Amino acid sequence: MDYALDFENLKTKCLEEISKASSLKDLTELKNKYLAKKGEISLMMNHIREVEDKKAFGEMYNACRKSVEEALDIKIKEEENKKLIEDLKKEKIDITLPGNSYQRGSANPFYKIINEIEDIFVGMGYSVETGPEVDYDKYVFELLNIPHDHPARDMQDTLYIDNNLLLRSHTSSVQAHVMEKAKGQPIKIICPGKTYRRDDDDMTHSHQFAQVEGLVIDKNINLGNLKATLELFAKKMFSKDTKVRFRSSFFPFTEPSVEVDISCFNCKGKGCPLCKGSGWIEILGAGMVHPNVLKMSGYDPEVYSGFAFGIGIERVAMLKYGIDDIRRFYQNDLRFIKEFKKVKED
């Protein structure tokens, strides 16, 4: 049998089909048809046992296989180059189009104030705690000395999910969670976050607002510690000349309770439109933690005492930046945000 002619015919057939192939898919199919383990060229090796001159047969086999492999490699590269050129034409960049401009963003003053307050209190050794915005009545009211029939609930227990679950009306609920977990150990925390109450939306009120509440519980904590803490906060937040004034008030979870004013940083206490001529600006509520709150959370009020305070984030931002409408914080108006853009100079 003339295997030389068989190899020559097989090679000619392969090269002709390779030259006619018009895609990478066709070439892959031809490679499998002729060079795979059960391909036509590979199967020719089964005839080697039938010939006497096995060396000559092997040389013819290798020559045929090499020719086909080389032809396939060349054709594959040609097709790959064609595909690349086609892709480049499709993805061609039109250099006449206007370029994209990327502007430096700016932070909402709401978050700028939160970050400033956190920095101030973390510098005083406080830790930052967060909690659920949808919480149980137990944490929002009961553990804070506000039982079901307490009149202080009138303006606060407003947005309920069901009879026991509501949107928290103050971040004091986080303090209740932390006291419960602390199991009678000292606490020094601030709790920033959003709060919710049914309210009319106008220039100074919103159904959603935010607070940073603080809580310190330890032995020998007194009203002087609270005053010193708030004075330091006011000086760092507004100006080094800021003074703090306490006025008696009432909160169910503190006793005694105080409203806290700061001297007007705009007129230095002389009287101006910002402070309505009084020289003072009301900024937060505070007081000594009520003994009932300590008892319900596992503290002995004969041993431990503490103070708490609540700062309105939007109120501080409005005072510090001269913002006239609380709703601006939530309107996503880029013109408003850009007013607080600050570029750092090298």
Side-chain angles (χ1 to χ4, degrees):
M1 189 172 181
D2 189 356
Y3 286 107
L5 182 59
D6 291 340
F7 276 118
E8 188 62 32
N9 291 337
L10 184 56
K11 182 177 76 172
T12 301
K13 176 186 173 185
C14 290
L15 296 179
E16 185 177 345
E17 290 187 27
I18 290 171
S19 66
K20 292 179 180 179
S22 58
S23 69
L24 289 171
K25 180 182 178 182
D26 293 342
L27 291 168
T28 300
E29 291 176 354
L30 287 173
K31 188 173 183 179
N32 292 332
K33 178 180 178 181
Y34 291 107
L35 299 177
K37 187 175 182 181
K38 293 186 178 180
E40 293 184 27
I41 294 177
S42 299
L43 291 175
M44 286 292 292
M45 200 61 183
N46 294 337
H47 297 288
I48 195 170
R49 65 175 70 93
E50 301 170 3
V51 298
E52 294 182 4
D53 192 348
K54 291 181 172 49
K55 180 180 178 183
F57 183 91
E59 289 175 351
M60 288 186 289
Y61 172 85
N62 290 333
C64 177
R65 188 178 185 90
K66 184 178 180 182
S67 296
V68 173
E69 287 177 343
E70 289 177 350
L72 273 170
D73 289 340
I74 292 170
K75 189 68 174 179
I76 288 172
K77 287 179 181 178
E78 288 178 1
E79 291 300 323
E80 287 176 342
N81 287 335
K82 285 181 184 179
K83 187 176 183 305
L84 178 60
I85 292 170
E86 289 174 2
D87 290 343
L88 289 174
K89 286 180 179 179
K90 292 178 184 177
E91 299 170 6
K92 184 178 179 181
I93 298 173
D94 186 350
I95 60 174
T96 65
L97 291 172
N100 295 324
S101 61
Y102 298 96
Q103 298 181 356
R104 184 189 294 270
S106 52
N108 190 305
F110 177 88
Y111 292 104
K112 289 169 70 73
I113 291 298
I114 290 178
N115 292 336
E116 284 187 52
I117 293 174
E118 287 185 354
D119 287 344
I120 291 170
F121 282 103
V122 168
M124 288 191 240
Y126 287 69
S127 60
V128 180
E129 295 285 345
T130 58
E133 293 181 19
V134 178
D135 210 343
Y136 292 101
D137 183 280
K138 170 185 175 182
Y139 297 101
V140 179
F141 296 120
E142 292 177 29
L143 288 176
L144 298 174
N145 201 35
I146 312 176
H148 285 282
D149 57 352
H150 199 290
R153 286 199 180 208
D154 289 350
M155 290 296 293
Q156 294 194 27
D157 59 343
T158 54
L159 300 174
Y160 276 82
I161 308 301
D162 57 35
N163 290 332
N164 192 38
L165 199 63
L166 71 156
L167 298 179
R168 67 185 183 190
S169 54
H170 44 203
T171 54
S172 301
S173 58
V174 181
Q175 299 177 7
H177 281 283
V178 173
M179 284 190 286
E180 185 179 66
K181 293 177 183 177
K183 299 186 182 300
Q185 296 302 308
I187 295 172
K188 192 175 183 181
I189 61 167
I190 57 169
C191 317
K194 298 173 186 174
T195 59
Y196 308 86
R197 297 179 194 175
R198 183 199 59 76
D199 209 339
D200 296 325
D201 283 353
D202 57 31
M203 294 178 66
T204 58
H205 299 86
S206 173
H207 69 281
Q208 174 186 311
F209 57 99
Q211 296 176 328
V212 174
E213 297 212 15
L215 174 67
V216 174
I217 297 177
D218 208 336
K219 297 176 181 178
N220 303 316
I221 300 296
N222 56 51
L223 204 60
N225 300 132
L226 172 60
K227 188 170 187 292
T229 299
L230 296 180
E231 282 181 343
L232 181 56
F233 162 72
K235 290 180 186 294
K236 287 183 175 292
M237 177 57 68
F238 297 104
S239 82
K240 62 181 180 180
D241 300 321
T242 304
K243 297 178 182 178
V244 171
R245 180 178 74 173
F246 283 3
R247 292 179 288 109
S248 295
S249 186
F250 170 78
F251 302 111
F253 34 82
T254 54
E255 182 60 33
S257 303
V258 293
E259 296 284 356
V260 182
D261 303 330
I262 61 169
S263 57
C264 181
F265 49 86
N266 187 53
C267 65
K268 309 300 181 186
K270 296 178 181 178
C272 69
L274 181 63
C275 61
K276 299 178 181 179
S278 69
W280 296 92
I281 299 172
E282 181 183 330
I283 193 170
L284 58 91
M288 301 302 294
V289 179
H290 198 291
N292 289 346
V293 174
L294 292 172
K295 286 179 184 177
M296 285 187 285
S297 297
Y299 290 87
D300 183 352
E302 298 297 325
V303 178
Y304 286 94
S305 57
F307 63 75
F309 55 85
I311 305 166
I313 292 170
E314 293 92 342
R315 180 165 180 77
V316 173
M318 292 173 77
L319 290 170
K320 187 165 183 177
Y321 297 121
I323 299 169
D324 62 347
D325 192 328
I326 192 172
R327 292 170 292 189
R328 297 190 188 279
F329 293 104
Y330 305 105
Q331 289 173 338
N332 296 323
D333 189 336
L334 289 178
R335 295 170 299 177
F336 170 68
I337 302 298
K338 287 177 181 177
E339 292 296 318
F340 304 90
K341 184 174 180 179
K342 182 179 179 182
V343 179
K344 295 182 179 179
E345 297 181 358
D346 293 334

